[in-house]
Amino acid sequence: MAKVSVRAIPNGPYEISIEGKPVAYLCRCGHSANKPHCDGSHKKIGFTAPEVALTFH
Ligand code: FES
């Protein structure tokens, strides 16, 4: 089974990785115009949130 990781980038999106390779960046600030993907809007609004990392096997 592939190793899937989710990392909440500090003050940014969720980074989804498969076998260590990033495959998607998902919005967690709620302001992206291209949901569910991050479009960089979190920087404009000054979004702040801690880093969190989860790994699924
Ligand atoms: S986290 Fe990047 S636009 Fe929402």
Coordinates of all heavy atoms in Angstrom, one line a residue:
M1 N 0.9 -1.2 0.0 CA 0.0 0.0 0.0 C 0.9 1.2 0.0 O 1.9 1.3 0.7 CB -0.9 0.0 1.2 CG -1.8 1.2 1.3 SD -2.9 1.1 2.7 CE -4.4 0.5 1.9
A2 N 0.5 2.2 -0.8 CA 1.3 3.5 -0.9 C 1.3 4.3 0.4 O 0.3 4.3 1.1 CB 0.8 4.3 -2.0
K3 N 2.4 4.9 0.8 CA 2.4 5.8 1.9 C 1.9 7.1 1.5 O 2.5 7.8 0.6 CB 3.9 5.9 2.4 CG 4.1 6.8 3.6 CD 5.5 6.8 4.0 CE 5.9 8.0 4.8 NZ 7.3 8.1 5.1
V4 N 0.8 7.6 2.2 CA 0.2 8.9 1.9 C 0.4 9.8 3.1 O 0.2 9.4 4.3 CB -1.3 8.7 1.6 CG1 -1.9 10.1 1.4 CG2 -1.5 7.8 0.4
S5 N 0.9 11.0 2.9 CA 1.2 11.9 3.9 C 0.4 13.2 3.7 O 0.2 13.6 2.6 CB 2.7 12.3 4.0 OG 3.5 11.1 4.2
V6 N 0.0 13.8 4.8 CA -0.7 15.1 4.8 C 0.0 16.0 5.7 O 0.2 15.6 6.9 CB -2.2 15.0 5.2 CG1 -2.8 16.4 5.2 CG2 -2.9 14.0 4.3
R7 N 0.5 17.1 5.2 CA 1.2 18.1 6.0 C 0.6 19.4 5.9 O 0.4 19.9 4.8 CB 2.7 18.2 5.6 CG 3.5 19.2 6.5 CD 5.0 19.1 6.2 NE 5.3 19.8 4.9 CZ 5.8 21.0 4.8 NH1 6.1 21.7 5.9 NH2 6.1 21.5 3.7
A8 N 0.1 19.9 7.0 CA -0.4 21.3 7.0 C 0.8 22.2 7.1 O 1.5 22.3 8.1 CB -1.3 21.5 8.2
I9 N 1.1 22.9 6.0 CA 2.2 23.8 5.9 C 1.9 25.0 6.9 O 0.8 25.5 6.9 CB 2.4 24.3 4.5 CG1 2.8 23.1 3.6 CG2 3.5 25.4 4.4 CD1 2.9 23.4 2.2
P10 N 2.9 25.4 7.7 CA 2.7 26.5 8.6 C 2.1 27.8 7.8 O 2.7 28.2 6.8 CB 4.1 26.9 9.1 CG 4.8 25.6 9.0 CD 4.3 24.9 7.7
N11 N 1.0 28.3 8.2 CA 0.4 29.4 7.6 C 0.0 29.2 6.2 O -0.1 30.2 5.4 CB 1.3 30.7 7.7 CG 1.7 30.9 9.2 OD1 0.9 30.7 10.1 ND2 2.9 31.3 9.3
G12 N -0.2 28.0 5.8 CA -0.5 27.7 4.3 C -1.4 26.5 4.2 O -2.1 26.0 5.1
P13 N -1.4 25.9 3.0 CA -2.3 24.8 2.6 C -1.9 23.4 3.2 O -0.8 23.3 3.8 CB -2.2 24.8 1.1 CG -0.8 25.2 0.8 CD -0.5 26.2 1.9
Y14 N -2.7 22.4 2.9 CA -2.4 21.0 3.2 C -1.6 20.5 2.0 O -2.1 20.7 0.9 CB -3.7 20.2 3.3 CG -4.5 20.5 4.5 CD1 -5.8 21.1 4.4 CD2 -4.1 20.1 5.8 CE1 -6.6 21.4 5.5 CE2 -4.9 20.4 6.9 CZ -6.1 21.0 6.7 OH -6.9 21.3 7.8
E15 N -0.5 20.0 2.3 CA 0.3 19.3 1.2 C 0.1 17.8 1.3 O 0.3 17.2 2.3 CB 1.8 19.6 1.4 CG 2.7 19.0 0.4 CD 4.2 19.2 0.8 OE1 4.6 18.5 1.8 OE2 4.9 20.0 0.2
I16 N -0.4 17.3 0.2 CA -0.7 15.8 0.1 C 0.5 15.2 -0.7 O 0.8 15.6 -1.8 CB -2.0 15.6 -0.7 CG1 -3.1 16.5 -0.2 CG2 -2.4 14.1 -0.6 CD1 -3.5 16.3 1.3
S17 N 1.1 14.2 -0.1 CA 2.2 13.5 -0.7 C 1.9 12.0 -0.8 O 1.3 11.4 0.1 CB 3.5 13.7 0.0 OG 3.8 15.1 0.1
I18 N 2.4 11.4 -1.9 CA 2.3 9.9 -2.0 C 3.8 9.5 -2.2 O 4.5 10.0 -3.1 CB 1.4 9.5 -3.2 CG1 0.0 10.0 -3.0 CG2 1.5 8.0 -3.4 CD1 -0.9 9.7 -4.1
E19 N 4.2 8.6 -1.4 CA 5.6 8.1 -1.4 C 6.6 9.2 -1.3 O 7.6 9.2 -2.0 CB 5.8 7.1 -2.6 CG 4.9 5.9 -2.6 CD 5.1 5.0 -1.5 OE1 6.2 5.0 -0.8 OE2 4.2 4.2 -1.2
G20 N 6.3 10.2 -0.6 CA 7.2 11.4 -0.4 C 7.2 12.4 -1.5 O 7.9 13.4 -1.4
K21 N 6.3 12.2 -2.5 CA 6.3 13.2 -3.6 C 5.0 14.0 -3.5 O 3.9 13.4 -3.5 CB 6.3 12.4 -4.9 CG 6.2 13.4 -6.1 CD 6.2 12.6 -7.4 CE 6.0 13.5 -8.6 NZ 5.8 12.8 -9.8
P22 N 5.1 15.3 -3.3 CA 3.9 16.2 -3.3 C 3.1 16.0 -4.5 O 3.6 16.1 -5.6 CB 4.4 17.6 -3.1 CG 5.8 17.4 -2.6 CD 6.3 16.1 -3.2
V23 N 1.7 15.8 -4.3 CA 0.8 15.7 -5.5 C -0.3 16.7 -5.5 O -0.9 16.9 -6.5 CB 0.2 14.2 -5.5 CG1 1.3 13.2 -5.8 CG2 -0.5 13.9 -4.3
A24 N -0.5 17.4 -4.4 CA -1.6 18.4 -4.4 C -1.4 19.3 -3.2 O -0.8 18.9 -2.1 CB -2.9 17.7 -4.3
Y25 N -1.9 20.5 -3.3 CA -1.9 21.5 -2.2 C -3.4 22.0 -2.1 O -3.9 22.5 -3.0 CB -1.0 22.7 -2.5 CG 0.4 22.3 -2.5 CD1 1.0 21.8 -3.7 CD2 1.2 22.3 -1.4 CE1 2.4 21.4 -3.7 CE2 2.5 21.9 -1.4 CZ 3.1 21.5 -2.5 OH 4.4 21.1 -2.5
L26 N -4.0 21.6 -0.9 CA -5.4 21.9 -0.7 C -5.6 23.1 0.3 O -4.9 23.1 1.3 CB -6.1 20.7 -0.2 CG -5.9 19.4 -1.0 CD1 -6.6 18.2 -0.4 CD2 -6.5 19.6 -2.4
C27 N -6.5 23.9 -0.1 CA -6.8 25.2 0.7 C -7.3 24.8 2.1 O -8.1 23.9 2.3 CB -7.8 26.0 0.0 SG -8.3 27.5 0.9
R28 N -6.7 25.4 3.1 CA -7.3 25.3 4.5 C -7.6 26.7 5.0 O -8.0 26.8 6.2 CB -6.4 24.5 5.4 CG -5.1 25.1 5.8 CD -4.5 24.3 6.9 NE -3.1 24.8 7.2 CZ -2.5 24.7 8.4 NH1 -3.2 24.1 9.4 NH2 -1.3 25.1 8.5
C29 N -7.4 27.8 4.3 CA -7.8 29.1 4.8 C -9.2 29.5 4.4 O -9.8 30.4 5.0 CB -6.8 30.1 4.2 SG -7.1 30.6 2.5
G30 N -9.8 28.8 3.4 CA -11.2 29.1 3.0 C -11.3 30.2 1.9 O -12.4 30.6 1.5
H31 N -10.2 30.8 1.5 CA -10.3 31.9 0.6 C -9.8 31.7 -0.8 O -9.8 32.6 -1.7 CB -9.5 33.1 1.2 CG -10.1 33.7 2.4 ND1 -10.9 34.8 2.3 CD2 -10.1 33.3 3.7 CE1 -11.4 35.1 3.5 NE2 -10.9 34.2 4.4
S32 N -9.5 30.5 -1.2 CA -9.0 30.1 -2.5 C -10.2 30.3 -3.5 O -11.3 29.9 -3.2 CB -8.5 28.7 -2.6 OG -8.2 28.4 -4.0
A33 N -9.9 30.9 -4.7 CA -10.9 31.0 -5.8 C -10.9 29.7 -6.6 O -11.7 29.6 -7.6 CB -10.6 32.2 -6.6
N34 N -10.0 28.8 -6.3 CA -9.9 27.5 -7.0 C -10.0 26.3 -6.1 O -9.2 25.4 -6.2 CB -8.6 27.5 -7.8 CG -8.4 26.4 -8.7 OD1 -9.4 25.9 -9.3 ND2 -7.2 25.9 -9.0
K35 N -11.0 26.4 -5.2 CA -11.1 25.2 -4.2 C -11.4 23.9 -4.9 O -12.1 24.0 -6.0 CB -12.3 25.5 -3.3 CG -12.0 26.7 -2.3 CD -13.2 26.8 -1.4 CE -13.0 28.0 -0.5 NZ -13.6 29.2 -1.1
P36 N -10.9 22.8 -4.5 CA -10.2 22.7 -3.2 C -8.7 23.0 -3.2 O -8.1 22.8 -2.2 CB -10.4 21.2 -2.9 CG -10.4 20.5 -4.2 CD -11.0 21.5 -5.2
H37 N -8.2 23.5 -4.3 CA -6.8 23.7 -4.4 C -6.4 25.1 -3.9 O -7.2 26.0 -4.0 CB -6.3 23.7 -5.9 CG -6.7 22.3 -6.5 ND1 -5.9 21.2 -6.3 CD2 -7.7 21.9 -7.3 CE1 -6.4 20.2 -6.9 NE2 -7.5 20.6 -7.5
C38 N -5.2 25.2 -3.3 CA -4.7 26.5 -2.9 C -4.3 27.3 -4.1 O -3.7 26.8 -5.0 CB -3.4 26.2 -2.0 SG -2.5 27.7 -1.6
D39 N -4.7 28.6 -4.0 CA -4.3 29.5 -5.1 C -3.3 30.6 -4.6 O -3.1 31.6 -5.3 CB -5.5 30.1 -5.8 CG -6.3 31.1 -5.0 OD1 -5.9 31.2 -3.8 OD2 -7.2 31.7 -5.5
G40 N -2.9 30.5 -3.4 CA -2.0 31.5 -2.8 C -2.7 32.6 -2.0 O -2.0 33.5 -1.5
S41 N -4.0 32.6 -2.0 CA -4.7 33.6 -1.3 C -4.4 33.7 0.2 O -4.6 34.8 0.8 CB -6.3 33.4 -1.5 OG -6.6 33.6 -2.9
H42 N -4.0 32.6 0.8 CA -3.7 32.6 2.2 C -2.6 33.7 2.5 O -2.7 34.2 3.6 CB -3.2 31.2 2.7 CG -2.0 30.7 2.0 ND1 -2.1 30.0 0.8 CD2 -0.7 30.8 2.3 CE1 -0.8 29.7 0.4 NE2 0.0 30.2 1.3
K43 N -1.8 34.0 1.6 CA -0.7 35.0 1.9 C -1.3 36.4 1.9 O -1.0 37.2 2.7 CB 0.4 34.9 0.8 CG 1.2 33.7 0.8 CD 2.2 33.6 -0.3 CE 2.9 32.3 -0.3 NZ 3.6 32.0 -1.5
K44 N -2.3 36.6 1.0 CA -2.9 38.0 0.9 C -3.7 38.3 2.2 O -3.8 39.4 2.6 CB -3.8 38.0 -0.3 CG -3.1 37.9 -1.6 CD -4.1 38.0 -2.8 CE -3.5 37.5 -4.0 NZ -4.5 37.0 -5.0
I45 N -4.4 37.2 2.8 CA -5.2 37.5 3.9 C -4.5 37.4 5.2 O -5.1 37.6 6.3 CB -6.5 36.6 3.9 CG1 -6.0 35.1 4.1 CG2 -7.3 36.8 2.6 CD1 -7.2 34.2 4.5
G46 N -3.2 37.0 5.2 CA -2.5 36.8 6.4 C -2.9 35.6 7.3 O -2.9 35.7 8.5
F47 N -3.3 34.5 6.6 CA -3.7 33.3 7.3 C -2.6 32.8 8.2 O -1.4 32.7 7.8 CB -4.1 32.3 6.2 CG -4.5 30.9 6.8 CD1 -5.6 30.8 7.5 CD2 -3.7 29.8 6.6 CE1 -6.0 29.6 8.0 CE2 -4.0 28.6 7.1 CZ -5.2 28.5 7.8
T48 N -3.0 32.5 9.4 CA -2.0 31.9 10.3 C -2.5 30.6 10.9 O -3.7 30.5 11.3 CB -1.6 32.8 11.5 OG1 -2.8 33.1 12.2 CG2 -1.0 34.1 11.0
A49 N -1.7 29.6 10.9 CA -2.1 28.3 11.5 C -0.8 27.4 11.7 O 0.2 27.6 10.9 CB -3.1 27.5 10.6
P50 N -0.8 26.5 12.6 CA 0.4 25.8 12.9 C 0.6 24.7 11.9 O -0.3 24.3 11.2 CB 0.1 25.2 14.3 CG -1.3 25.1 14.4 CD -1.9 26.2 13.6
E51 N 1.8 24.1 11.9 CA 2.2 23.0 11.1 C 1.6 21.7 11.8 O 1.7 21.6 13.0 CB 3.7 22.8 10.9 CG 4.1 21.6 10.1 CD 5.6 21.5 9.9 OE1 6.3 22.2 10.6 OE2 6.0 20.8 8.9
V52 N 1.1 20.8 11.0 CA 0.6 19.5 11.5 C 1.0 18.5 10.4 O 0.9 18.7 9.2 CB -0.9 19.5 11.6 CG1 -1.4 18.2 12.1 CG2 -1.4 20.6 12.6
A53 N 1.4 17.3 10.8 CA 1.8 16.3 9.9 C 1.2 15.0 10.3 O 1.2 14.6 11.5 CB 3.3 16.1 9.9
L54 N 0.6 14.3 9.3 CA -0.1 13.0 9.5 C 0.4 12.1 8.4 O 0.6 12.5 7.3 CB -1.6 13.1 9.3 CG -2.3 14.1 10.3 CD1 -3.8 14.2 9.9 CD2 -2.2 13.5 11.7
T55 N 0.7 10.8 8.7 CA 1.1 9.8 7.7 C 0.2 8.6 7.8 O -0.1 8.1 8.9 CB 2.6 9.4 8.0 OG1 3.4 10.6 7.9 CG2 3.0 8.4 6.9
F56 N -0.2 8.1 6.7 CA -1.1 6.9 6.6 C -0.3 5.9 5.9 O 0.3 6.1 4.9 CB -2.4 7.3 5.9 CG -3.1 8.4 6.5 CD1 -2.9 9.7 6.0 CD2 -4.0 8.2 7.5 CE1 -3.6 10.8 6.5 CE2 -4.7 9.3 8.1 CZ -4.4 10.6 7.6
H57 N -0.4 4.7 6.4 CA 0.3 3.5 5.7 C -0.7 2.5 5.2 O -1.8 2.4 5.7 CB 1.2 2.8 6.7 CG 2.3 3.7 7.2 ND1 3.5 3.8 6.5 CD2 2.4 4.5 8.3 CE1 4.3 4.7 7.2 NE2 3.7 5.1 8.2
Ligands
FES1 S1 -4.5 27.8 1.9 FE1 -3.8 28.8 0.2 S2 -5.5 29.8 -0.6 FE2 -6.2 28.8 1.2

